[in-house]
Amino acid sequence: MLCPTCEHPKSDVLETRASGDGIRRRRQCQACGERFTTHERIDRKTPLIIKKDGTREPFDRDKVLAGLRIACRKRPISARHLEEAASRVETLIAAKGTAEVPAAEVGNVVLNQLKSMDLVGYLRFASVYQEVQSADDFLELLQPWVGAREGDGDG
Ligand SMILES: [Zn+2]
């Protein structure tokens, strides 16, 4: 960070403060003594999503929220929880720091959020999203709740 007055590269941090979506630092130039403020924040630029057919579209938090709402319809999950989950998905996708993310990865992030929220919502989303076709697929999805499977091979 160059001093705005003399462009000296080194400054002392006088004060650090959290502010809303980031951190503010009050600095003093080691050369000329000029005081200035810098503001660090998380880069919220979200990547493009690569869809199954190869087309790209911007990440859309509202679409994630809509998906969560459908998955948790008539479930005891508050609107606020769904909003928070959608925000977490957005943050996690942005944190990947890549220009493009396959839609499948977004789906997995959403599933992980549902996994900790609601079993029924999780299964609903997974059955649509992961194209669950057999009972075995469902049992696999249930793993986080039922633990290890028992009684192999008595078919
Ligand atoms: Zn300076």
Side-chain angles (χ1 to χ4, degrees):
M1 185 60 60
L2 300 178
C3 167
T5 303
C6 72
E7 299 192 354
H8 186 75
K10 292 200 172 162
S11 56
D12 296 316
V13 175
L14 304 175
E15 190 188 357
T16 301
R17 224 190 319 184
S19 79
D21 61 344
I23 291 175
R24 274 176 190 284
R25 291 188 211 280
R26 190 79 183 133
R27 295 171 180 272
Q28 183 164 31
C29 174
Q30 288 182 1
C32 74
E34 170 81 0
R35 293 186 176 196
F36 56 99
T37 303
T38 56
H39 190 188
E40 279 172 34
R41 60 190 190 95
I42 295 164
D43 189 352
R44 288 204 178 272
K45 215 166 32 179
T46 43
L48 286 177
I49 304 307
I50 309 167
K51 301 206 295 185
K52 246 188 202 164
D53 62 4
T55 59
R56 268 75 165 165
E57 65 174 34
F59 176 84
D60 187 345
R61 182 185 172 281
D62 289 342
K63 272 192 188 166
V64 169
L65 184 57
L68 287 168
R69 280 200 181 121
I70 291 167
C72 295
R73 219 164 120 193
K74 296 188 178 173
R75 298 294 303 157
I77 307 293
S78 71
R80 192 172 60 85
H81 269 92
L82 293 174
E83 291 271 352
E84 284 170 0
S87 294
R88 275 198 298 275
V89 171
E90 182 177 37
T91 302
L92 289 167
I93 294 299
K96 287 182 187 289
T98 55
E100 299 183 326
V101 172
E105 271 188 46
V106 180
N108 283 332
V109 173
V110 173
L111 271 178
N112 276 328
Q113 293 300 318
L114 283 168
K115 197 187 279 184
S116 60
M117 279 166 56
D118 185 62
L119 170 59
V120 172
Y122 169 80
L123 290 175
R124 275 184 193 149
F125 189 86
S127 66
V128 173
Y129 178 76
Q130 293 192 325
E131 293 166 30
V132 173
Q133 276 162 0
S134 68
D136 273 351
D137 289 343
F138 259 110
L139 282 176
E140 206 160 298
L141 287 168
L142 281 165
Q143 285 290 310
W145 288 276
V146 299
R149 253 196 266 170
E150 305 162 24
D152 280 349
D154 59 347

